[in-house]
Amino acid sequence: MFPPTKKYKRPESVLVVIYTLTGKVLLLRRADDPDFWQSVTGSLLWEESDPRQAATRELREETGLDVADGLRDLGIVNRYSILPRWRPRYAPQVSENKEHVFALALPAETAITLNPAEHDQFGWFTFESAAAKVFSRTNRVAIETVKERRE
């Protein structure tokens, strides 16, 4: 692991697929790219030792949802190359990110409070539509996995 520094992002993140028991998946549209839809994502802070802590924080920051229970660790850890567009956010020697995947089931669609600095729109989509709409391959696989494993 690289030494903590405020200058660079930590190359470890969480991905949280939020879905309803009625078969809808929440996606957020990035404010800086109208074609970039995603589930809740975010880097662990240098002082965070548990990915669950980061997932809970990111849920609150990006959607306004404050969940104490219900967040499920899917036991999936992805490694992928950081796209050139985002590489300047990381230390020069960093080229790969480690991503922990979680899921959160809600009874039904609910109101979301977006962080306008990150996202400018949200929507509830079928599992198939959500998987087709997301930008990232790991996000697509996570949505498909949640669909297979949902309760």
Side-chain angles (χ1 to χ4, degrees), residues 15-17 25-41 62 83 85-86 99 112 114 118-126 129-141 143:
L15 169 72
V16 183
V17 176
V25 176
L26 176 68
L27 294 182
L28 311 174
R29 187 174 78 175
R30 289 185 61 92
D32 61 358
D33 186 340
D35 296 321
F36 196 119
W37 288 84
Q38 64 187 147
S39 293
V40 170
T41 64
E62 294 187 7
L83 293 174
R85 155 184 187 179
W86 288 299
E99 176 184 72
I112 299 300
L114 295 176
E118 294 190 54
H119 301 100
D120 65 3
Q121 191 174 333
F122 73 89
W124 292 94
F125 302 90
T126 64
S129 297
K133 195 167 192 65
V134 293
F135 176 84
S136 127
R137 179 191 58 79
T138 62
N139 200 164
R140 187 170 12 287
V141 170
I143 290 168

Side-chain angles (χ1 to χ4, degrees), residues 18-87:
I18 301 172
Y19 68 99
T20 68
L21 300 179
T22 58
K24 297 293 180 124
V25 176
L26 176 68
L27 294 182
L28 311 174
R29 187 174 78 175
R30 289 185 61 92
D32 61 358
D33 186 340
D35 296 321
F36 196 119
W37 288 84
Q38 64 187 147
S39 293
V40 170
T41 64
S43 293
L44 275 74
L45 301 176
W46 288 106
E47 63 271 15
E48 289 175 325
S49 59
D50 182 3
R52 179 179 295 278
Q53 179 184 9
T56 301
R57 176 182 49 77
E58 289 292 341
L59 278 167
R60 189 174 48 257
E61 289 174 4
E62 294 187 7
T63 67
L65 295 173
D66 196 1
V67 295
D69 298 321
L71 188 61
R72 192 166 40 119
D73 186 340
L74 296 181
I76 298 169
V77 178
N78 298 308
R79 291 188 182 276
Y80 59 85
S81 292
I82 299 168
L83 293 174
R85 155 184 187 179
W86 288 299
R87 215 156 284 148

